[in-house]
Amino acid sequence: LEKGKIALKWIVTDKEPLGDMYQEITISQNGKESGKIYASAEVHENFSMYKDNNYATAPLIAIDSNEFDMGAVVANSINTHNLIIRNKGVNELHIRKIDCDDNNISFSIKKGIKGGKSRKMAININANSEPSLRCAEIKFYTNDPQNPVITYTLFYEIVS
């Protein structure tokens, strides 16, 4: 048994998606597989253009609350919750990616919001699952250097 260190460098191009990335790495010795390493990283936008943390012209995402309770939604129905997303910054805010851990949820939004403006995002719940309490975590990946990832939680209960 030998001990050592393995350094991994994750090189991300502009064309690759933001968010959670996973990679399985196979370790081989003398041509034979001897194990696997599982690596993960959360990839954010490159903010190197903001020298010395000078965010005076940066976009700034704002939402009224980080969670909302839809209450009861009837099974086999579609319900919509409108979330207002504001850009309190100067430069245009871009929502690069939206992830959700609940496959009952879909979205509708134009992804660019000019400085000082807001935009409504329709969050649709297609309640086609069995009756249950649900907690959907929605992650917004943005070009806001102070808030590159915002998490919004939507609670609801599917009822018969």
Side-chain angles (χ1 to χ4, degrees):
L1 180 67
E2 293 184 35
K3 292 185 178 183
K5 292 183 180 181
I6 297 174
L8 301 174
K9 184 175 183 180
W10 216 306
I11 300 171
V12 180
T13 67
D14 289 338
K15 295 178 182 169
E16 292 187 65
L18 302 175
D20 296 325
M21 296 181 72
Y22 303 94
Q23 183 69 48
E24 179 182 278
I25 302 163
T26 302
I27 306 298
S28 297
Q29 283 182 314
N30 301 323
K32 287 187 169 184
E33 184 179 319
S34 61
K36 294 183 186 293
I37 295 174
Y38 301 92
S40 65
E42 186 171 63
V43 180
H44 297 267
E45 181 113 0
N46 178 359
F47 298 115
S48 61
M49 76 284 271
Y50 297 106
K51 304 289 185 215
D52 301 319
N53 294 329
N54 182 3
Y55 303 133
T57 62
L60 181 61
I61 190 169
I63 54 178
D64 289 335
S65 173
N66 287 342
E67 62 183 44
F68 184 78
D69 188 342
M70 281 287 288
V73 297
V74 177
N76 300 313
S77 68
I78 296 175
N79 297 263
T80 300
H81 165 60
N82 290 314
L83 173 66
I84 304 299
I85 300 174
R86 292 177 183 80
N87 179 2
K88 292 187 171 184
V90 176
N91 287 339
E92 188 168 2
L93 174 70
H94 295 280
I95 298 171
R96 303 283 193 210
K97 179 180 177 184
I98 303 172
D99 280 341
C100 184
D101 62 358
D102 185 331
N103 58 9
N104 288 325
I105 304 292
S106 63
F107 316 98
S108 176
I109 187 172
K110 291 182 179 178
K111 295 185 179 179
I113 304 171
K114 297 208 181 290
K117 302 290 182 183
S118 63
R119 178 157 287 145
K120 179 171 57 173
M121 176 180 154
I123 302 174
N124 302 306
I125 301 171
N126 186 359
N128 59 3
S129 298
E130 294 293 317
S132 60
L133 286 172
R134 307 291 291 215
C135 174
E137 184 179 89
I138 303 166
K139 282 186 174 183
F140 299 90
Y141 293 86
T142 75
N143 67 329
D144 174 350
Q146 297 178 79
N147 303 289
V149 180
I150 292 284
T151 301
Y152 185 74
T153 306
L154 185 64
F155 302 96
Y156 63 101
E157 180 179 10
I158 300 175
V159 296
S160 305

